[in-house]
Amino acid sequence: MLTVLIIGIEMLLAFLLQTTIFTHFAIGNITPNILMILACGVGYQFGRLQGMACGFFCGLLIDISSDSVLGVNALFFMLIGYLNGYLHAYYVKHDVFLPLIAIAGSEFLYSLALYVFRFLIRGNLDFVHYIGRIMLPNMLYTTVVAVLLYPLVDLVYYRIICSYHARKEENTGAL
Amino acid sequence: MKRPNVPKYNIDPKYILLLCTLLCLCLIFFSYKFSSIFNPVKAGLNSMLTPMQKGITTVGTSINNFFERFDNVDKLKAENEELKTTIQDLQYQNNILQQDLYDFELYKQLLELDETYSEYPKVGANIIAKDTSGYYATFTIDKGSKQGMSVDMNVLADTGLVGIITEVGTNYSIVRSIIDDNSYVSASILKTSDNCIVCGDLTLLDSGFIQIRDISINSEVKNNYKVYTSDLSEKYLPDILIGYISNIQTDADGLSKSGYLTPVVDFEHLSTVLVITQLKESPVEEEAADTTN
């Protein structure tokens, strides 16, 4: 229960920072996707199901705040959270390398999906331009920010969630 | 430290994924098809988020302003000098213009023209959040239906058109700017009165241009001509400055001309905007009412 609450708060914080403060750090209209860092992180730390749930709500937050159709981002984020859940099998304590690669890949997939869904079906075939101007920069910027922010997500996971579970187990053991 | 035991489920996550994907697809379908039902839900949820966004933006801006104050003293001094010379220039020009105006009034009386340039009622608003996917140029402002905003109201900044409100909640509105890839504005060129379409283009984003097209082939349009919103537009009020034409060319099919347009608004550094609280339809309805009377 505490885990759900903490991840909920993290989601809200990530969303608020992304839409307000981080728009000031935009480089050439590219803003780091912090919700993606969180969704990937949760998938990696907890597994497929949890990653999926976290992704769904992250995407829903974006859907609600933008003027797009409800559910598009939710679907993409959910699939990405699910895919990242496969990496849970390779979880190593305090590892940053694997999640960073996962975040980079996920962000690329996400902007590719958005391109297909919103631009390709309207007949914009200039794929090379979009890949060079939006998808790759999006991926790079998000990954660079993830280098700083993912350890924070990891810290919250270890310091709060894991220690809480450890204590709970001790208590039940004592009983 | 021991990691929490991830609970084991009997159902394979694959099936849950399938179920949720179907759910999402249904959501997309229904929210697209029945947007009138889903929009209030969306607006309700969003009105919980916007006060928080507003708070963060306000705090962020005030911190930014505090530090900028020390930064800018030299710059402001230089600017002040520059402005003083500009004022003198303008005063001189103003004198000439006032004489012209006198002549103009005279001619107007002679021609019995009493149509004046329309002045629209405006309300200021702050930008509190922006879309971050990189694909869209939409942003959220801190005024909603409570403050009298409604969908299709035009949004200005400085002296030019910024965009149009596409969604309204109780305390926020979402604005689609004219540089967005989905934006189309019916416009007209001031000197030649040619009609044309101004549309946003993501591929031109870095150059600071947007597209202008469907100008008549017979038009004598040249670079740096001013472009205004046209009377023909369904949603945009007439006579709002959009920008200046550049790089005008004849299309490959030889039937029309197209080119680039430099917007007068600096979209990179936009933080406050003006919303025109008058909708395009209202004057038409009034006129209709007048004629029936």
Side-chain angles (χ1 to χ4, degrees):
Chain A
M1 198 57 222
L2 180 91
T3 316
V4 174
L5 191 73
I6 283 174
I7 291 175
I9 292 169
E10 276 187 306
M11 256 193 266
L12 195 63
L13 265 178
F15 168 74
L16 290 176
L17 287 179
Q18 183 175 327
T19 51
T20 56
I21 302 284
F22 274 83
T23 54
H24 293 289
F25 300 135
I27 301 173
N29 213 27
I30 299 294
T31 319
N33 197 343
I34 304 169
L35 283 168
M36 181 62 73
I37 299 172
L38 187 69
C40 291
V42 169
Y44 177 63
Q45 286 160 347
F46 293 91
R48 281 183 283 176
L49 212 59
Q50 288 82 349
M52 196 170 88
C54 176
F56 177 77
F57 286 109
C58 285
L60 208 59
L61 276 177
I62 293 181
D63 274 332
I64 288 169
S65 70
S66 67
D67 71 340
S68 72
V69 182
L70 212 60
V72 179
N73 284 297
L75 178 64
F76 294 154
F77 265 84
M78 189 179 78
L79 290 173
I80 281 164
Y82 182 82
L83 288 178
N84 275 280
Y86 277 109
L87 296 177
H88 180 62
Y90 307 101
Y91 188 90
V92 179
K93 192 176 169 180
H94 291 321
D95 182 22
V96 176
F97 188 63
L98 184 63
L100 277 188
I101 292 178
I103 287 165
S106 306
E107 178 64 25
F108 183 74
L109 274 179
Y110 170 65
S111 34
L112 184 72
L114 273 187
Y115 162 74
V116 171
F117 194 81
R118 294 299 289 264
F119 284 83
L120 194 64
I121 55 172
R122 274 173 47 210
N124 280 342
L125 298 173
D126 194 2
F127 181 64
V128 179
H129 176 268
Y130 289 104
I131 212 173
R133 179 60 187 81
I134 292 181
M135 293 177 210
L136 289 179
N138 242 339
M139 182 183 102
L140 269 177
Y141 200 6
T142 302
T143 316
V144 168
V145 172
V147 172
L148 303 171
L149 286 187
Y150 179 74
L152 252 167
V153 177
D154 202 49
L155 192 78
V156 170
Y157 176 64
Y158 264 95
R159 277 290 152 80
I160 302 175
I161 297 173
C162 291
S163 66
Y164 168 76
H165 278 272
R167 251 182 286 137
K168 207 164 108 183
E169 221 150 82
E170 267 172 33
N171 289 346
T172 47
L175 283 171
Chain B
M1 209 176 285
K2 197 176 181 319
R3 299 174 52 217
N5 293 325
V6 176
K8 294 275 179 285
Y9 299 96
N10 292 328
I11 317 163
D12 196 320
K14 245 186 283 181
Y15 299 116
I16 299 176
L17 178 80
L18 206 67
L19 196 78
C20 289
T21 309
L22 280 176
L23 199 86
C24 271
L25 289 175
C26 287
L27 192 63
I28 293 171
F29 177 74
F30 285 117
S31 66
Y32 181 71
K33 202 87 184 166
F34 308 106
S35 51
S36 56
I37 303 171
F38 274 82
N39 275 348
V41 179
K42 208 170 138 181
L45 290 169
N46 215 347
S47 13
M48 287 190 276
L49 294 170
T50 36
M52 300 186 236
Q53 289 176 327
K54 194 175 168 179
I56 291 178
T57 310
T58 319
V59 172
T61 329
S62 50
I63 292 171
N64 200 15
N65 285 347
F66 181 74
F67 284 109
E68 265 189 359
R69 203 173 292 163
F70 302 108
D71 238 29
N72 286 349
V73 176
D74 287 336
K75 218 165 95 186
L76 285 176
K77 270 184 184 163
E79 208 177 78
N80 198 15
E81 287 297 313
E82 210 176 291
L83 287 175
K84 271 180 188 162
T85 49
T86 325
I87 285 175
Q88 283 175 356
D89 241 24
L90 289 175
Q91 269 172 345
Y92 175 67
Q93 273 180 33
N94 197 17
N95 285 338
I96 299 172
L97 285 174
Q98 259 169 3
Q99 286 171 6
D100 283 355
L101 186 72
Y102 176 74
D103 290 345
F104 174 72
E105 291 288 339
L106 201 72
Y107 290 135
K108 209 165 80 170
Q109 273 173 15
L110 288 173
L111 286 166
E112 292 174 352
L113 276 174
D114 45 59
E115 187 191 337
T116 46
Y117 295 111
S118 30
E119 179 77 20
Y120 303 117
K122 298 187 201 81
V123 171
N126 296 313
I127 297 177
I128 53 171
K130 286 179 182 167
D131 182 86
T132 53
S133 66
Y135 282 112
Y136 313 109
T138 59
F139 54 83
T140 312
I141 56 172
D142 64 347
K143 295 244 163 85
S145 55
K146 227 180 188 175
Q147 288 87 5
M149 304 288 112
S150 76
V151 173
D152 288 345
M153 277 179 178
N154 296 183
V155 180
L156 313 180
D158 306 330
T159 47
L161 184 69
V162 170
I164 197 161
I165 293 179
T166 55
E167 201 183 301
V168 167
T170 47
N171 51 6
Y172 77 96
S173 317
I174 294 176
V175 178
R176 185 176 62 214
S177 59
I178 52 169
I179 55 172
D180 190 277
D181 213 83
N182 282 319
S183 159
Y184 296 88
V185 185
S186 176
S188 79
I189 299 157
L190 181 67
K191 283 191 187 164
T192 60
S193 302
D194 286 307
N195 288 314
C196 53
I197 304 281
V198 171
C199 50
D201 190 339
L202 194 61
T203 53
L204 294 174
L205 189 77
D206 294 322
S207 52
F209 292 126
I210 52 180
Q211 263 190 36
I212 181 163
R213 61 182 202 211
D214 293 347
I215 307 168
S216 158
I217 190 72
N218 301 319
S219 161
E220 287 168 356
V221 60
K222 290 198 182 90
N223 290 344
N224 290 325
Y225 276 20
K226 279 184 181 174
V227 177
Y228 284 80
T229 48
S230 96
D231 296 314
L232 299 175
S233 175
E234 267 177 49
K235 293 177 179 173
Y236 291 96
L237 295 158
D239 301 329
I240 302 170
L241 182 62
I242 306 176
Y244 300 90
I245 293 185
S246 62
N247 204 6
I248 201 89
Q249 277 172 340
T250 306
D251 282 345
D253 58 14
L255 297 172
S256 57
K257 286 181 182 178
S258 65
Y260 296 153
L261 183 105
T262 317
V264 279
V265 180
D266 179 9
F267 286 97
E268 282 266 315
H269 306 107
L270 215 55
S271 63
T272 51
V273 290
L274 289 171
V275 181
I276 298 181
T277 51
Q278 181 187 333
L279 286 167
K280 174 88 173 179
E281 287 87 6
S282 51
V284 181
E285 276 165 20
E286 275 169 25
E287 267 170 37
D290 284 347
T291 47
T292 47
N293 290 338

